[in-house]
Structure formats: structure tokens, C-alpha cells
Amino acid sequence: MVRPDPSAERHRPLNFPSIGVRELAASIHPTRLAARLDANLSAATLVRLQKSPRLQIRLPSLLLDHEMDSKRNDFGPDLLHGRDPKRAALLAGGIWHARSLTRLISKHDVAVLIGRIGIEVQAFGIRHAAHAVSTSVIADPQQLAQEIEDHGHGCLGAWLDEASAFDRRRVLLRLAIGTAADNPAAEHRDAAGRLFSLVLPQLATEAPAA
């Protein structure tokens, strides 16, 4: 009897509709596009290029290193089911620093934090405080928000590293260049699977990113 691959099960997409090649092109983060085409291109030019019907057909193949069939018109959902990868990272980071979230009680500090990460991420982290990774407590809300972003993106990158290179790039294309997702640390690899087993069910209940 062949046993199922736990990694494949962990990354198995839910029953979401496929996306078209033009939708895939439109979802690419401008920093990824600029890095591949020309770093000096203006934001307005990048937007115009992404909206070009002719270029939309070619962009996914170009940025995915030609690992996709250029004649395909649609693809299955990616590993995050079309959800915003930055939000997925923040949710993971919220769990990572849940101990700090539970200790932050000043109305001013909470408002500053929520302004950076959102009230849903704060609530999600507190709800899963039993799974917190960091044992230290960060009192400064700006520093805490930054740590949540950094560790969350690191966990996202580590989790994606367990998937195929093609599936990993499909998600990273929708994320800005330069986050910890591009170079996760060993500590992120140790926690990524556990945290994303909590993040993915939450993403499944939310509307896909626009």
C-alpha cells in the first residue's frame, strides 16, 4: 500500500477555480516585473505593461523561467488559493509573536500596531497564542509590527520551499522583492509547517485578493 506524501497533502489546493493567464500576469508584483525587465521603469509604465493584452500572454512564462506551457490559457489555484501572500505572512507572524500581542494593552500602542498589521491579524495571533514561537515580549508597537512582518514572511518562504520551484515562484511573483520570504532562516523552517497548518484554513474562509 502506497502511503500519501505528507508534503503533497499540506500543499494540496482547495477546490477553487482556475485562473487565466491574463489574471496571473496582472497579479505580478511590480518589483518582480521591474527586476526582470528594467529596474528604471516607472510605476506608471509597469502598470501599463501589465495591462497590455499582448504582453500579458508572455509575462507569466517570462517570469516563471519558461516552466509553463505558453499555450495554456488557465491554471489551477496557487498554493495560497489566490489569497494575498503578504496577508498570509502577517497571519503567520501574528502567531509567531502572539505572546507580545497578548501583552500589548495600551490603547495607543494597540492602535499603532493595528495601523500596521490590521485588526484581523492581531485577533488571529491572540486566538492562537498557544502556538506562539517567540518567547520574548516586544513592547514597542512599531518594532512588534516589523518583527511580525519579517518572521511571517520568513515562514511563508520556508513553507513555499517545501513545494515545487514552479509553485513557489507563482506565489512569490505576487510578493514584493526583498522580504524575508526570499531568504528564510533556519528558525523559520522549523516553525513554518506548524504555523501554516493554522493559516491556510483561515485563508480558505476569506475572499481572494483582488
PDB file of all heavy atoms in Angstrom, residues 91-115:
ATOM      1  N   LEU A  91      -0.389  36.805   9.007  1.00  0.00           N
ATOM      2  CA  LEU A  91      -1.104  35.879   9.889  1.00  0.00           C
ATOM      3  C   LEU A  91      -0.126  34.931  10.597  1.00  0.00           C
ATOM      4  O   LEU A  91      -0.239  34.685  11.800  1.00  0.00           O
ATOM      5  CB  LEU A  91      -2.134  35.082   9.093  1.00  0.00           C
ATOM      6  CG  LEU A  91      -3.350  35.867   8.587  1.00  0.00           C
ATOM      7  CD1 LEU A  91      -4.178  35.013   7.634  1.00  0.00           C
ATOM      8  CD2 LEU A  91      -4.206  36.357   9.746  1.00  0.00           C
ATOM      9  N   ALA A  92       0.838  34.423   9.834  1.00  0.00           N
ATOM     10  CA  ALA A  92       1.855  33.550  10.437  1.00  0.00           C
ATOM     11  C   ALA A  92       2.696  34.321  11.442  1.00  0.00           C
ATOM     12  O   ALA A  92       3.020  33.821  12.531  1.00  0.00           O
ATOM     13  CB  ALA A  92       2.744  32.948   9.342  1.00  0.00           C
ATOM     14  N   GLY A  93       3.061  35.554  11.086  1.00  0.00           N
ATOM     15  CA  GLY A  93       3.843  36.384  12.005  1.00  0.00           C
ATOM     16  C   GLY A  93       3.090  36.735  13.260  1.00  0.00           C
ATOM     17  O   GLY A  93       3.682  36.870  14.343  1.00  0.00           O
ATOM     18  N   GLY A  94       1.760  36.879  13.139  1.00  0.00           N
ATOM     19  CA  GLY A  94       0.944  37.157  14.313  1.00  0.00           C
ATOM     20  C   GLY A  94       0.990  36.017  15.311  1.00  0.00           C
ATOM     21  O   GLY A  94       1.033  36.232  16.535  1.00  0.00           O
ATOM     22  N   ILE A  95       0.969  34.786  14.799  1.00  0.00           N
ATOM     23  CA  ILE A  95       1.085  33.631  15.704  1.00  0.00           C
ATOM     24  C   ILE A  95       2.486  33.593  16.323  1.00  0.00           C
ATOM     25  O   ILE A  95       2.644  33.339  17.514  1.00  0.00           O
ATOM     26  CB  ILE A  95       0.817  32.309  14.954  1.00  0.00           C
ATOM     27  CG1 ILE A  95      -0.555  32.326  14.285  1.00  0.00           C
ATOM     28  CG2 ILE A  95       0.918  31.134  15.920  1.00  0.00           C
ATOM     29  CD1 ILE A  95      -0.818  31.112  13.426  1.00  0.00           C
ATOM     30  N   TRP A  96       3.496  33.849  15.506  1.00  0.00           N
ATOM     31  CA  TRP A  96       4.882  33.810  15.976  1.00  0.00           C
ATOM     32  C   TRP A  96       5.057  34.719  17.199  1.00  0.00           C
ATOM     33  O   TRP A  96       5.675  34.353  18.190  1.00  0.00           O
ATOM     34  CB  TRP A  96       5.816  34.260  14.851  1.00  0.00           C
ATOM     35  CG  TRP A  96       7.273  34.138  15.141  1.00  0.00           C
ATOM     36  CD1 TRP A  96       8.003  34.887  16.033  1.00  0.00           C
ATOM     37  CD2 TRP A  96       8.198  33.213  14.554  1.00  0.00           C
ATOM     38  NE1 TRP A  96       9.322  34.501  16.026  1.00  0.00           N
ATOM     39  CE2 TRP A  96       9.471  33.480  15.125  1.00  0.00           C
ATOM     40  CE3 TRP A  96       8.078  32.221  13.593  1.00  0.00           C
ATOM     41  CZ2 TRP A  96      10.613  32.767  14.762  1.00  0.00           C
ATOM     42  CZ3 TRP A  96       9.218  31.504  13.222  1.00  0.00           C
ATOM     43  CH2 TRP A  96      10.468  31.779  13.809  1.00  0.00           C
ATOM     44  N   HIS A  97       4.490  35.913  17.126  1.00  0.00           N
ATOM     45  CA  HIS A  97       4.650  36.900  18.205  1.00  0.00           C
ATOM     46  C   HIS A  97       3.382  37.064  19.037  1.00  0.00           C
ATOM     47  O   HIS A  97       3.120  38.140  19.575  1.00  0.00           O
ATOM     48  CB  HIS A  97       5.062  38.248  17.613  1.00  0.00           C
ATOM     49  CG  HIS A  97       6.470  38.266  17.114  1.00  0.00           C
ATOM     50  ND1 HIS A  97       7.562  38.318  17.958  1.00  0.00           N
ATOM     51  CD2 HIS A  97       6.967  38.221  15.848  1.00  0.00           C
ATOM     52  CE1 HIS A  97       8.678  38.321  17.240  1.00  0.00           C
ATOM     53  NE2 HIS A  97       8.351  38.261  15.957  1.00  0.00           N
ATOM     54  N   ALA A  98       2.613  36.004  19.161  1.00  0.00           N
ATOM     55  CA  ALA A  98       1.335  36.086  19.887  1.00  0.00           C
ATOM     56  C   ALA A  98       1.516  36.497  21.341  1.00  0.00           C
ATOM     57  O   ALA A  98       0.655  37.176  21.919  1.00  0.00           O
ATOM     58  CB  ALA A  98       0.602  34.755  19.799  1.00  0.00           C
ATOM     59  N   ARG A  99       2.617  36.097  21.972  1.00  0.00           N
ATOM     60  CA  ARG A  99       2.826  36.479  23.369  1.00  0.00           C
ATOM     61  C   ARG A  99       2.903  37.993  23.512  1.00  0.00           C
ATOM     62  O   ARG A  99       2.360  38.567  24.464  1.00  0.00           O
ATOM     63  CB  ARG A  99       4.096  35.824  23.912  1.00  0.00           C
ATOM     64  CG  ARG A  99       3.969  34.326  24.163  1.00  0.00           C
ATOM     65  CD  ARG A  99       5.186  33.764  24.865  1.00  0.00           C
ATOM     66  NE  ARG A  99       5.024  32.341  25.156  1.00  0.00           N
ATOM     67  CZ  ARG A  99       5.355  31.378  24.304  1.00  0.00           C
ATOM     68  NH1 ARG A  99       5.864  31.689  23.116  1.00  0.00           N
ATOM     69  NH2 ARG A  99       5.180  30.109  24.626  1.00  0.00           N
ATOM     70  N   SER A 100       3.563  38.631  22.578  1.00  0.00           N
ATOM     71  CA  SER A 100       3.648  40.092  22.612  1.00  0.00           C
ATOM     72  C   SER A 100       2.289  40.721  22.352  1.00  0.00           C
ATOM     73  O   SER A 100       1.933  41.742  22.949  1.00  0.00           O
ATOM     74  CB  SER A 100       4.666  40.592  21.577  1.00  0.00           C
ATOM     75  OG  SER A 100       5.972  40.193  21.917  1.00  0.00           O
ATOM     76  N   LEU A 101       1.524  40.118  21.447  1.00  0.00           N
ATOM     77  CA  LEU A 101       0.196  40.654  21.143  1.00  0.00           C
ATOM     78  C   LEU A 101      -0.704  40.618  22.370  1.00  0.00           C
ATOM     79  O   LEU A 101      -1.493  41.542  22.605  1.00  0.00           O
ATOM     80  CB  LEU A 101      -0.442  39.856  20.000  1.00  0.00           C
ATOM     81  CG  LEU A 101       0.198  40.009  18.621  1.00  0.00           C
ATOM     82  CD1 LEU A 101      -0.506  39.116  17.603  1.00  0.00           C
ATOM     83  CD2 LEU A 101       0.147  41.457  18.153  1.00  0.00           C
ATOM     84  N   THR A 102      -0.601  39.569  23.161  1.00  0.00           N
ATOM     85  CA  THR A 102      -1.463  39.459  24.349  1.00  0.00           C
ATOM     86  C   THR A 102      -1.042  40.428  25.443  1.00  0.00           C
ATOM     87  O   THR A 102      -1.852  40.756  26.323  1.00  0.00           O
ATOM     88  CB  THR A 102      -1.432  38.023  24.912  1.00  0.00           C
ATOM     89  OG1 THR A 102      -0.082  37.696  25.310  1.00  0.00           O
ATOM     90  CG2 THR A 102      -1.926  37.018  23.888  1.00  0.00           C
ATOM     91  N   ARG A 103       0.205  40.888  25.410  1.00  0.00           N
ATOM     92  CA  ARG A 103       0.698  41.801  26.447  1.00  0.00           C
ATOM     93  C   ARG A 103       0.536  43.272  26.062  1.00  0.00           C
ATOM     94  O   ARG A 103       0.728  44.151  26.910  1.00  0.00           O
ATOM     95  CB  ARG A 103       2.180  41.517  26.710  1.00  0.00           C
ATOM     96  CG  ARG A 103       2.496  40.115  27.177  1.00  0.00           C
ATOM     97  CD  ARG A 103       2.031  39.861  28.590  1.00  0.00           C
ATOM     98  NE  ARG A 103       2.398  38.527  29.062  1.00  0.00           N
ATOM     99  CZ  ARG A 103       3.569  38.242  29.621  1.00  0.00           C
ATOM    100  NH1 ARG A 103       4.469  39.197  29.783  1.00  0.00           N
ATOM    101  NH2 ARG A 103       3.832  37.004  30.016  1.00  0.00           N
ATOM    102  N   LEU A 104       0.205  43.543  24.813  1.00  0.00           N
ATOM    103  CA  LEU A 104       0.072  44.924  24.355  1.00  0.00           C
ATOM    104  C   LEU A 104      -1.344  45.416  24.699  1.00  0.00           C
ATOM    105  O   LEU A 104      -2.315  45.024  24.049  1.00  0.00           O
ATOM    106  CB  LEU A 104       0.313  44.991  22.839  1.00  0.00           C
ATOM    107  CG  LEU A 104       0.719  46.346  22.263  1.00  0.00           C
ATOM    108  CD1 LEU A 104       2.123  46.721  22.742  1.00  0.00           C
ATOM    109  CD2 LEU A 104       0.698  46.300  20.741  1.00  0.00           C
ATOM    110  N   ILE A 105      -1.448  46.265  25.712  1.00  0.00           N
ATOM    111  CA  ILE A 105      -2.778  46.657  26.193  1.00  0.00           C
ATOM    112  C   ILE A 105      -3.053  48.153  26.094  1.00  0.00           C
ATOM    113  O   ILE A 105      -4.208  48.572  26.145  1.00  0.00           O
ATOM    114  CB  ILE A 105      -2.982  46.204  27.654  1.00  0.00           C
ATOM    115  CG1 ILE A 105      -1.886  46.779  28.547  1.00  0.00           C
ATOM    116  CG2 ILE A 105      -3.005  44.684  27.736  1.00  0.00           C
ATOM    117  CD1 ILE A 105      -2.078  46.455  30.020  1.00  0.00           C
ATOM    118  N   SER A 106      -2.016  48.966  25.944  1.00  0.00           N
ATOM    119  CA  SER A 106      -2.229  50.406  25.806  1.00  0.00           C
ATOM    120  C   SER A 106      -3.045  50.688  24.547  1.00  0.00           C
ATOM    121  O   SER A 106      -2.725  50.189  23.466  1.00  0.00           O
ATOM    122  CB  SER A 106      -0.886  51.136  25.713  1.00  0.00           C
ATOM    123  OG  SER A 106      -1.040  52.428  25.171  1.00  0.00           O
ATOM    124  N   LYS A 107      -4.104  51.504  24.685  1.00  0.00           N
ATOM    125  CA  LYS A 107      -4.949  51.810  23.527  1.00  0.00           C
ATOM    126  C   LYS A 107      -4.147  52.455  22.407  1.00  0.00           C
ATOM    127  O   LYS A 107      -4.360  52.157  21.223  1.00  0.00           O
ATOM    128  CB  LYS A 107      -6.094  52.726  23.950  1.00  0.00           C
ATOM    129  CG  LYS A 107      -7.159  52.046  24.805  1.00  0.00           C
ATOM    130  CD  LYS A 107      -8.319  52.995  25.092  1.00  0.00           C
ATOM    131  CE  LYS A 107      -9.398  52.297  25.906  1.00  0.00           C
ATOM    132  NZ  LYS A 107     -10.542  53.210  26.196  1.00  0.00           N
ATOM    133  N   HIS A 108      -3.227  53.328  22.779  1.00  0.00           N
ATOM    134  CA  HIS A 108      -2.406  53.998  21.764  1.00  0.00           C
ATOM    135  C   HIS A 108      -1.515  52.991  21.044  1.00  0.00           C
ATOM    136  O   HIS A 108      -1.425  52.982  19.810  1.00  0.00           O
ATOM    137  CB  HIS A 108      -1.539  55.076  22.414  1.00  0.00           C
ATOM    138  CG  HIS A 108      -0.557  55.716  21.460  1.00  0.00           C
ATOM    139  ND1 HIS A 108       0.737  55.245  21.314  1.00  0.00           N
ATOM    140  CD2 HIS A 108      -0.695  56.741  20.581  1.00  0.00           C
ATOM    141  CE1 HIS A 108       1.362  55.963  20.405  1.00  0.00           C
ATOM    142  NE2 HIS A 108       0.516  56.879  19.942  1.00  0.00           N
ATOM    143  N   ASP A 109      -0.857  52.137  21.809  1.00  0.00           N
ATOM    144  CA  ASP A 109       0.042  51.141  21.210  1.00  0.00           C
ATOM    145  C   ASP A 109      -0.721  50.155  20.330  1.00  0.00           C
ATOM    146  O   ASP A 109      -0.251  49.784  19.249  1.00  0.00           O
ATOM    147  CB  ASP A 109       0.796  50.378  22.303  1.00  0.00           C
ATOM    148  CG  ASP A 109       1.833  51.250  22.997  1.00  0.00           C
ATOM    149  OD1 ASP A 109       2.140  52.339  22.477  1.00  0.00           O
ATOM    150  OD2 ASP A 109       2.325  50.838  24.065  1.00  0.00           O
ATOM    151  N   VAL A 110      -1.889  49.723  20.790  1.00  0.00           N
ATOM    152  CA  VAL A 110      -2.705  48.804  20.001  1.00  0.00           C
ATOM    153  C   VAL A 110      -3.135  49.458  18.692  1.00  0.00           C
ATOM    154  O   VAL A 110      -3.123  48.833  17.630  1.00  0.00           O
ATOM    155  CB  VAL A 110      -3.938  48.339  20.803  1.00  0.00           C
ATOM    156  CG1 VAL A 110      -4.899  47.580  19.893  1.00  0.00           C
ATOM    157  CG2 VAL A 110      -3.505  47.470  21.973  1.00  0.00           C
ATOM    158  N   ALA A 111      -3.503  50.749  18.758  1.00  0.00           N
ATOM    159  CA  ALA A 111      -3.914  51.473  17.554  1.00  0.00           C
ATOM    160  C   ALA A 111      -2.764  51.577  16.560  1.00  0.00           C
ATOM    161  O   ALA A 111      -2.955  51.417  15.344  1.00  0.00           O
ATOM    162  CB  ALA A 111      -4.411  52.864  17.934  1.00  0.00           C
ATOM    163  N   VAL A 112      -1.564  51.824  17.064  1.00  0.00           N
ATOM    164  CA  VAL A 112      -0.385  51.901  16.194  1.00  0.00           C
ATOM    165  C   VAL A 112      -0.124  50.549  15.529  1.00  0.00           C
ATOM    166  O   VAL A 112       0.135  50.471  14.318  1.00  0.00           O
ATOM    167  CB  VAL A 112       0.860  52.343  16.998  1.00  0.00           C
ATOM    168  CG1 VAL A 112       2.127  52.199  16.143  1.00  0.00           C
ATOM    169  CG2 VAL A 112       0.707  53.783  17.463  1.00  0.00           C
ATOM    170  N   LEU A 113      -0.204  49.506  16.318  1.00  0.00           N
ATOM    171  CA  LEU A 113       0.026  48.158  15.782  1.00  0.00           C
ATOM    172  C   LEU A 113      -1.001  47.797  14.719  1.00  0.00           C
ATOM    173  O   LEU A 113      -0.648  47.315  13.633  1.00  0.00           O
ATOM    174  CB  LEU A 113      -0.014  47.134  16.915  1.00  0.00           C
ATOM    175  CG  LEU A 113       0.217  45.685  16.478  1.00  0.00           C
ATOM    176  CD1 LEU A 113       1.683  45.462  16.171  1.00  0.00           C
ATOM    177  CD2 LEU A 113      -0.258  44.719  17.549  1.00  0.00           C
ATOM    178  N   ILE A 114      -2.269  48.019  15.021  1.00  0.00           N
ATOM    179  CA  ILE A 114      -3.337  47.686  14.081  1.00  0.00           C
ATOM    180  C   ILE A 114      -3.196  48.491  12.796  1.00  0.00           C
ATOM    181  O   ILE A 114      -3.504  48.006  11.709  1.00  0.00           O
ATOM    182  CB  ILE A 114      -4.711  47.912  14.735  1.00  0.00           C
ATOM    183  CG1 ILE A 114      -4.955  46.841  15.802  1.00  0.00           C
ATOM    184  CG2 ILE A 114      -5.825  47.886  13.688  1.00  0.00           C
ATOM    185  CD1 ILE A 114      -6.227  47.040  16.591  1.00  0.00           C
ATOM    186  N   GLY A 115      -2.706  49.720  12.927  1.00  0.00           N
ATOM    187  CA  GLY A 115      -2.474  50.528  11.741  1.00  0.00           C
ATOM    188  C   GLY A 115      -1.443  49.918  10.807  1.00  0.00           C
ATOM    189  O   GLY A 115      -1.465  50.162   9.599  1.00  0.00           O
TER     190      GLY A 115
END
